[in-house]
Structure formats: structure tokens, C-alpha cells
Amino acid sequence: MAQPATRNLGRLSEIAQVAVRHGFGYWFDKHRLTDLFPGRAPRVEMDGQPSQRGQHLREMLDELGPTFVKFGQLLSMRPDVLPPDIIAELRGLQDDVRPVPFAQVEQVVEEELGLTLDKLFAEFDEDAVAAASIGQVHRAILPNGKRVAVKVQRPGAPRQIEADLALLYQAARIAKERVRALDFIDAHQLVDEFARSIRHELDYRLEARSAAAFHRNFAGHPHVHVPRVFWSYTRARVLTLEWLEGIQVADIDPQEWSLDERRDLAYLMTEAWMTMIFRHGFFHGDPHPANILVLGRADQIGLVDFGATGKLTDDDMSKLTRLFIDAAAENVDALPRRLAELGVRYPKEREEEFLAELRELYYRYYGASLAEIDPLQVIREAFNLIYSMNLRLPTRFLLLDKAIATLGSVGIELYPDFNVFEVARPYARGLMMERFGPGRLARRARKESLRLAQVLTEMPYQVHDFLEEIRDGQIEVGFVHKGLEEFMNRMDVVFNRLVVAMIVAGGLIGSSLIGIFAKAGPHVLGINVISVVGFALSGLLGAWLLWGVVRSGRL
């Protein structure tokens, strides 16, 4: 058990040295973590300026390797954890590594598919067209002549990922124990989120199901193409998709494409993602320019890499649409309620501040017609407000936020005068008719009627069960009063002091009566001895009571 811990500590030391090399030595010195360095701690340079720290962190994660690149990509979706300048830099991280030797690729394919490579494919290109931390992609041709893209998992990927996750968990533990500046986040939970995400990517069958869902959703679409999945050539470590012939948006040369072509491409991409979010409720979570292909013309695009996807329920889509409608219909006071319906949580005492910020957001769109407001932009700015006020946002919307931000930056890079209103005008009308048209409302009313009928049918049985529980004495009512225990403790002190005071008073009165009326028995200075003892005891109790009151500070 000691060996992995020692190995992890050595790797942590290596990471610390890489961090210092990229200008983060001051951070280790500030939080007294210099013991992570072997031997003497290195000289610390205070260079963590906001203008440079994001770039330095991105370069550091690049150097540390693929798993840390993916962790940086996760952090780029967490504006509640990192400031905007770092988020902007981390969103530029590329999951790009050196391909593994072809012999290892061949071994994985044959182990997963159960046949030799020459029996499975008519041709299989030995050179990878793309390589990432978990797998790499090769061109191939099936025996029936179909051109395909074969994604093959790196042989040591699961083992390497588990080792890196163990390291991240250890780093999270150190951060929790020793870095007070990170108390506002749950580092262990953050690594948990990353572990779930990256382990999900280790099973290519899950990505294949996502690709198949996108293929169904865009079947027959005149401008958006999603590759078909070849299930007989797909396993946990091998994914085979239809080959799309095109160029990546990232490789578009502005000199070879006219301004109108780049404008059309930016608007087509925007409309495709609006369709995914508001109509399908299932969206591609990483609209990076390397994941969008231009298929010959600006009005034909293809989508690839379906490892990161987001799912919205019909209820989520309806709530997002209502948020958009209220923002457009000048109903600002309803926006906090709409955001609360989406799961945004904020302290009650900050509601007025929240509403004031939302009014300021609304005034940016004052006077615009419904069709002129882009729902993506409205939601994006609402998210920015949520983050700036440190409000809690449900995790299912974090990927949506990242997708919207990435899409906007890609659109502006393609076409500097990118204006989403031109896309939103015709789209908003159709969206309103689809979500709140007579047909949709009738279907929703029918659905709600069936649900209410089911509730009414079950109600007599529920009432019967409730009455039986009352009869059998199974109903218990719990009463919790906040602060009641402290109040009872104080009352105990008050009553105890009152009892002591009464004893003191009784002792003084009794001793006085004895001194006056008792003639027999021993006397001291003409006073009965019993009376003297009573006065002494009462005086001691009175002095003790007075001292307790003085010490409490409440005279």
C-alpha cells in the first residue's frame, strides 16, 4: 500500500515543479506547500498577475499531459470555481496527443471485434488522422466499399486514467486540509464529477448511442449531417462511424472563403445548435471548430466527436423558452421565478438585488421585438449574472453554458459582424408556435388531464391508508423549534438563581426571627448561635449568587 502513495507523492512533486516553471511558485509558498518539492524549495516568484495566469495555467496543463488537459476542460465549464480570465484561457485547451504505434491499434481492434484486421476491413490506414488522450481515429474501408472512421482506444488509457484520478484525489485531499483559500469549493466533489465524465468516455458504446441519437434527430436535414454508426464494428474500445469528407472549421482559410460564405456558415452552425437545445433537448456539448466539418460548401456541415453531450427534459426546454418569452415581453419581475424553476438558488435576502440586476439586463433589450431577441444570448447573459452573484446553478446547465460560449466565439472568429438576431428572427416565431401553439397546448392539456385523472383515481386509496395509519397510531408529528434548547438552558439558569435568592431571603428572615424571639440556648454577643449560623450561610449564598451575576455581565 505504501508504494502507490510514494509514487503519487513523487508525481505530485513533479507537478509542483512544472507549476513553478510556469510561474505559480508564489502559490505554493503562500499556502505553505513547499514541502511538496524534493530537497530545498525553489525560489518563489510572485508573478500571478490576472493578465498572465490563465495562459500560464493552460500551458502548465498542456505540459502535464492528456488527463490534466481534460481536467482543465472540465474546469472551463465551472465559472463558479475559477475567475473569467482563467475560464477564457482554459476553453482553448486542445485534447491532442501523439498517436500510439499501429501495432497496438491493430491488437485492440482484433481483440474487440474477434477477427484479424484484413478480414474486417478492405483497407485500414495505418496513420491516425486525429489522436486524443483516450483514443485515436483511423480511416478505413469496409468490405462493402463504405468509407468509415474507426476510433480506437489507447491500450493503456483506463490504467493511466485511474492512476491520474488517484493523484487528483490526493491533491484534492491536500487542498482541503491545507489550502484555506479553496474552502469555498468541494475539491473532492469536483474530482468526482471529472471521474464520472472521463470514465463515461472509456466506453465507446455510450458515444455510439449519442451519435445514433443525433443521426436520427437530423435525419433528412438539408444542411446538417451526422455520421451513421456501424454497430457490427463497434465495441467498448472501438467505434466505427461513417466517414464525412470535409475540412474542419478550424482549418478554414479566410483568404479562400468569401465573407458571405463565412457568414452563412456561422449562422448555419448557430441554427443547428438552437435546434438541438430548444427542439431536440439533446445537444452536442463541444462545438469546437475541430468538431464541425464543412462538407464542400458553406451550407453543408457535419458533426463529429460525440463524447460530450447534454440532455434537457421537455420540462427544461419549456422553462428555458418561458424565460426567453418573459425577457422579451418586458415581464422582468417574473424572471427570478423563472430562474428558480430552472433550479437556481439564491438567499431570500438577496432577491431585491437579484431583481435589480435582472432589470439592468433587461434594459439592454428594451424596445426590441420578440423576433429580434436571441434566446441563446439572453440565457448566456443570465448565466453570467448567476455566476457574478455566486448563485447555485444546477450542473445539467453547466455544459449548456459552455456550449453556448464556445459557439459564440467560433461564430465571431468566422464572421466578425456575427449577429445572431438575423438567425433568431425567423427561428423565434417558429419556436413560439411550436411550444405555445394551439396544438402543443392541446397535447399538454391532454397529458395533464391524464395525470390529474390518475391522481384522482389514487386519492381514495391514499386517504384510506392515511386514516388507517391514524387509527393504528402510526402518524407521528415532530416539532422542531430553532433556538429552543438555548432558551431552555437560560431559563434553567434564571430559575436556579431565583431559587437561591429565595433561600437567601428565607435564611435571612428566619435567622432574624430566631435572633429576636429565641431566649434560651447559647448566645454570642447577645445573639442566638443558630441565628448567627443562619446569617453566615445566607450571606455566603448571597455573595456566591452576586458573584455569578457579576461574572455573567448581566446585572
Side-chain angles (χ1 to χ4, degrees), residues 260-416:
D260 287 341
E261 287 177 324
R262 286 184 278 126
R263 170 187 173 278
D264 292 344
L265 179 58
Y267 290 164
L268 174 57
M269 289 164 46
T270 303
E271 186 174 356
W273 259 264
M274 292 172 85
T275 299
M276 292 183 214
I277 294 168
F278 288 98
R279 295 186 189 276
H280 301 158
F282 185 62
F283 60 94
H284 193 301
D286 189 15
H288 193 274
N291 294 334
I292 305 172
L293 304 178
V294 183
L295 309 180
R297 309 194 311 268
D299 64 343
Q300 299 290 323
I301 62 172
L303 309 180
V304 297
D305 194 353
F306 308 99
T309 58
K311 182 77 174 80
L312 298 173
T313 65
D314 187 70
D315 190 47
D316 288 334
M317 290 187 287
S318 295
K319 289 172 181 176
L320 283 168
T321 305
R322 282 197 291 269
L323 173 64
F324 164 43
I325 292 172
D326 280 327
E330 306 180 16
N331 191 11
V332 186
D333 292 341
L335 295 184
R337 185 171 68 255
R338 296 302 183 207
L339 289 168
E341 289 174 355
L342 288 171
V344 177
R345 296 289 175 261
Y346 53 89
K348 194 69 176 176
E349 60 271 15
R350 299 193 68 184
E351 185 170 359
E352 286 301 321
E353 178 189 355
F354 189 30
L355 185 57
E357 293 288 346
L358 286 172
R359 285 197 184 101
E360 183 179 346
L361 171 63
Y362 158 72
Y363 289 142
R364 297 174 198 163
Y365 298 97
Y366 183 78
S369 66
L370 184 66
E372 292 175 324
I373 295 180
D374 170 36
L376 294 179
Q377 181 67 13
V378 172
I379 294 170
R380 174 64 183 156
E381 293 195 20
F383 283 165
N384 284 336
L385 172 59
I386 289 167
Y387 298 140
S388 68
M389 291 188 64
N390 294 320
L391 305 182
R392 294 185 60 187
L393 182 69
T395 54
R396 67 183 184 278
F397 294 115
L398 293 174
L399 188 62
L400 173 62
D401 176 34
K402 185 217 176 189
I404 292 171
T406 305
L407 186 66
S409 64
V410 173
I412 292 174
E413 287 177 10
L414 280 172
Y415 182 58

Side-chain angles (χ1 to χ4, degrees), residues 10-311:
R11 176 64 168 151
L12 280 175
S13 297
E14 179 187 342
I15 291 171
Q17 293 177 76
V18 172
V20 169
R21 193 158 59 248
H22 285 277
F24 289 99
Y26 74 95
W27 192 86
F28 290 88
D29 183 66
K30 179 180 179 181
H31 298 290
R32 295 180 174 85
L33 295 174
T34 51
D35 57 309
L36 294 177
F37 301 104
R40 290 178 53 194
R43 183 174 62 87
V44 173
E45 298 180 2
M46 300 294 291
D47 57 353
Q49 297 300 318
S51 60
Q52 298 293 325
R53 61 186 181 181
Q55 178 185 347
H56 291 169
L57 180 59
R58 175 175 55 79
E59 291 170 351
M60 182 188 83
L61 293 173
D62 264 329
E63 182 175 342
L64 287 174
T67 304
F68 290 88
V69 168
K70 283 194 170 293
F71 189 59
Q73 291 170 345
L74 169 72
L75 291 176
S76 73
M77 298 188 298
R78 298 299 300 268
D80 56 328
V81 173
L82 295 176
D85 62 299
I86 295 181
I87 292 290
E89 283 289 342
L90 293 185
R91 280 179 170 161
L93 281 170
Q94 297 282 333
D95 189 14
D96 190 17
V97 299
R98 182 174 299 176
V100 299
F102 178 69
Q104 296 181 19
V105 171
E106 184 177 16
Q107 180 183 355
V108 171
V109 173
E110 292 180 353
E111 287 177 358
E112 289 293 299
L113 300 181
L115 292 172
T116 60
L117 212 60
D118 57 340
K119 292 182 178 178
L120 290 165
F121 300 96
E123 292 183 22
F124 196 99
D125 194 343
E126 295 188 7
D127 296 324
V129 296
S133 57
I134 294 179
Q136 58 193 54
V137 179
H138 292 259
R139 290 190 187 95
I141 299 177
L142 299 179
N144 61 6
K146 293 283 187 182
R147 295 171 58 83
V148 294
V150 183
K151 188 174 181 179
V152 184
Q153 191 173 110
R154 302 169 78 93
R159 184 175 62 256
Q160 182 61 48
I161 285 172
E162 291 302 326
D164 288 338
L165 286 176
L167 182 65
L168 287 171
Y169 276 116
Q170 185 174 354
R173 179 182 57 78
I174 292 174
K176 181 179 180 180
E177 293 174 354
R178 302 173 60 180
V179 185
R180 298 277 70 83
L182 297 179
D183 283 346
F184 73 100
I185 64 171
D186 188 335
H188 191 278
Q189 186 181 41
L190 195 63
V191 178
D192 274 342
E193 181 184 344
F194 174 62
R196 284 193 300 272
S197 171
I198 200 167
R199 284 168 178 156
H200 181 280
E201 294 185 39
L202 288 174
D203 189 346
Y204 284 168
R205 292 169 297 188
L206 301 177
E207 182 177 345
R209 284 198 282 271
S210 297
F214 283 116
H215 183 78
R216 286 193 303 271
N217 290 341
F218 283 102
H221 195 287
H223 305 294
V224 180
H225 302 274
V226 177
R228 181 166 71 92
V229 179
F230 290 88
W231 288 103
S232 58
Y233 287 81
T234 295
R235 298 290 187 275
R237 295 191 295 163
V238 176
L239 170 63
T240 304
L241 299 172
E242 174 188 2
W243 178 266
L244 296 182
E245 194 64 54
I247 63 170
Q248 296 177 348
V249 169
D251 295 333
I252 287 180
D253 186 354
Q255 304 300 324
E256 297 180 3
W257 289 70
S258 69
L259 194 63
D260 287 341
E261 287 177 324
R262 286 184 278 126
R263 170 187 173 278
D264 292 344
L265 179 58
Y267 290 164
L268 174 57
M269 289 164 46
T270 303
E271 186 174 356
W273 259 264
M274 292 172 85
T275 299
M276 292 183 214
I277 294 168
F278 288 98
R279 295 186 189 276
H280 301 158
F282 185 62
F283 60 94
H284 193 301
D286 189 15
H288 193 274
N291 294 334
I292 305 172
L293 304 178
V294 183
L295 309 180
R297 309 194 311 268
D299 64 343
Q300 299 290 323
I301 62 172
L303 309 180
V304 297
D305 194 353
F306 308 99
T309 58
K311 182 77 174 80

